[in-house]
Amino acid sequence: MLGVLGLDETHESAYRALVSVGAADLPDLARRLALGEHATERVLRRLERHGLAAQSSARPGRWVAAPPAVALGALLTRQRHELEKAELAATLLAEEYRAAAAEPAVHDLVEVVIGAAAVAQRFLQIQLGASEEVCALVTGNPVAVTGVENDAEEQAAGRGVRYRVVVERAVLDLPDGISELTAALGRDERVRVVERVPTKLVIADRALALVPLTSPTAEPAALVVHASGLLELLSGLFESVWRDGLPLRLGAAGVTEERPDAPDGTDLEILSLLLAGLTDASVAKQLDLGLRTVQRRVKHLMELTGVTTRLQLGWHAYERGWVTRDHEG
């Protein structure tokens, strides 16, 4: 609890012990804390410097706790002041940075980040710094950045940041691919599927982009691209791939009709994955269904639409709104 105030667990335990007993001498407190007397005295001296404990004037040799409401309140107030000063300093530095970057040099438009940890950290920062939209191209071969699997997406989406993600078909075959994409769709992210994406890419607010650079032998690295013609080119690349993608539909939210003869949520999941290019066997594996179950459901959908081929089934699925081309762009 007191870690944010600069005290570790030992100091917190000592303060709690003093609060609970009212007053204690050094040997008694040392036994309670299972510490040596010298170590306990150092702990008490630090609590004293923080205004949390004091030696009793009425009972020499004993230590008493300062009233929590007063002592902790003072520390919290001091902490708030420090945070306000830090926030002001950050604002001033940001203004200085913007002023200096009004006419950035060419070498300031692209950063090179080297190392798996550094790339993952920048990937996290770019998403957490987004305020409006994050666009991403995701490959089926994660290296330093693990595509749809990261906590930053959930945090950013929780703040109202929109996500548009294009995944290549291989992502659907990853062990957690379907579950991760289902979770993304559950956060109202818009996901499309293509056969292959040209590169892994993340763009935040059309102001910053991350392009991982990979090779079989080199250490993971990435380019961080700031507002420039190159960033506009990367944004255009994403939009081009997005337009060619097929919207992915997974989960119970995909049910669009409630009539007894209408497809249920599982039917729509099967349709979406089949239209994304998966085989019956792959669909059965991803949805944890039997192969015959998948084939039986597809046959039922074909009978329901009165068609004789799966190509016709896909066309009717679009016509009836079971799957959509996501006309919002």
Side-chain angles (χ1 to χ4, degrees):
M1 179 187 72
L2 304 182
V4 295
L5 301 178
L7 301 178
D8 60 23
E9 292 182 5
T10 302
H11 295 88
E12 180 173 346
S13 297
Y15 181 66
R16 285 181 177 275
L18 286 176
V19 169
S20 64
V21 300
D25 58 22
L26 186 59
D28 179 32
L29 191 59
R31 284 193 299 273
R32 290 175 180 273
L33 299 177
L35 293 174
E37 292 190 13
H38 289 297
T40 302
E41 185 175 10
R42 287 197 298 271
V43 170
L44 289 169
R45 292 297 181 187
R46 186 171 182 193
L47 291 177
E48 185 179 34
R49 289 195 297 273
H50 282 79
L52 295 173
Q55 298 185 64
S56 174
S57 57
R59 306 169 70 180
R62 295 174 72 81
W63 288 79
V64 296
V70 175
L72 295 179
L75 286 178
L76 287 170
T77 299
R78 186 187 314 162
Q79 193 82 346
R80 290 192 192 98
H81 287 324
E82 293 299 322
L83 287 172
E84 289 171 0
K85 288 165 59 179
E87 185 176 9
L88 177 61
T91 300
L92 293 174
L93 286 171
E95 292 178 355
E96 291 180 17
Y97 180 83
R98 283 195 296 269
E103 294 183 2
V106 172
H107 64 269
D108 292 328
L109 298 177
V110 177
E111 305 172 44
V112 179
V113 182
I114 300 175
V119 172
Q121 179 65 21
R122 288 297 267 155
F123 180 70
L124 177 70
Q125 291 172 342
I126 286 175
Q127 293 190 81
L128 293 181
S131 60
E132 295 181 2
E133 183 182 55
V134 172
C135 300
L137 300 180
V138 180
T139 69
N141 182 31
V143 182
V145 176
T146 57
V148 295
E149 184 184 0
N150 67 89
D151 294 335
E153 280 194 30
E154 187 169 349
Q155 295 179 44
R159 292 186 287 106
V161 176
R162 301 184 304 276
Y163 269 79
R164 287 192 292 152
V165 181
V166 183
V167 301
E168 63 183 17
R169 189 164 293 120
V171 173
L172 302 178
D173 291 322
L174 295 176
D176 296 322
I178 293 296
S179 60
E180 293 288 348
L181 290 169
T182 300
L185 292 168
R187 295 190 294 266
D188 292 328
E189 297 183 20
R190 297 163 64 192
V191 181
R192 293 186 178 184
V193 181
V194 296
E195 180 64 31
R196 290 188 63 83
V197 299
T199 180
K200 198 187 303 287
L201 172 67
V202 179
I203 304 174
D205 296 336
R206 292 185 173 271
L208 199 62
L210 179 76
V211 186
L213 305 174
T214 59
S215 74
T217 57
E219 186 176 11
L223 295 180
V224 178
V225 182
H226 296 260
S228 62
L230 178 57
L231 181 60
E232 293 177 7
L233 181 64
L234 292 173
S235 297
L237 172 64
F238 172 82
E239 295 298 342
S240 175
V241 179
W242 175 260
R243 285 192 298 270
D244 291 338
L246 177 75
L248 186 65
R249 185 175 215 157
L250 296 170
V255 179
T256 57
E257 301 182 41
E258 298 180 356
R259 299 194 310 272
D261 61 343
D264 60 19
T266 302
D267 289 331
L268 296 177
E269 287 183 306
I270 291 172
L271 266 177
S272 184
L273 293 177
L274 288 176
L275 290 171
L278 270 66
T279 64
D280 288 0
S282 294
V283 172
K285 179 181 178 182
Q286 292 296 343
L287 299 183
D288 196 22
L289 299 172
L291 176 58
R292 290 185 179 180
T293 299
V294 171
Q295 293 172 337
R296 185 176 64 252
R297 283 179 172 267
V298 172
K299 180 179 179 182
H300 170 70
L301 290 171
M302 293 173 67
E303 293 172 349
L304 189 62
T305 53
V307 300
T308 57
T309 68
R310 293 193 175 196
L311 180 61
Q312 291 172 318
L313 175 60
W315 186 85
H316 278 274
Y318 278 114
E319 285 295 301
R320 295 176 181 227
W322 296 344
V323 291
T324 174
R325 259 293 176 185
D326 194 2
H327 294 297
E328 295 179 32

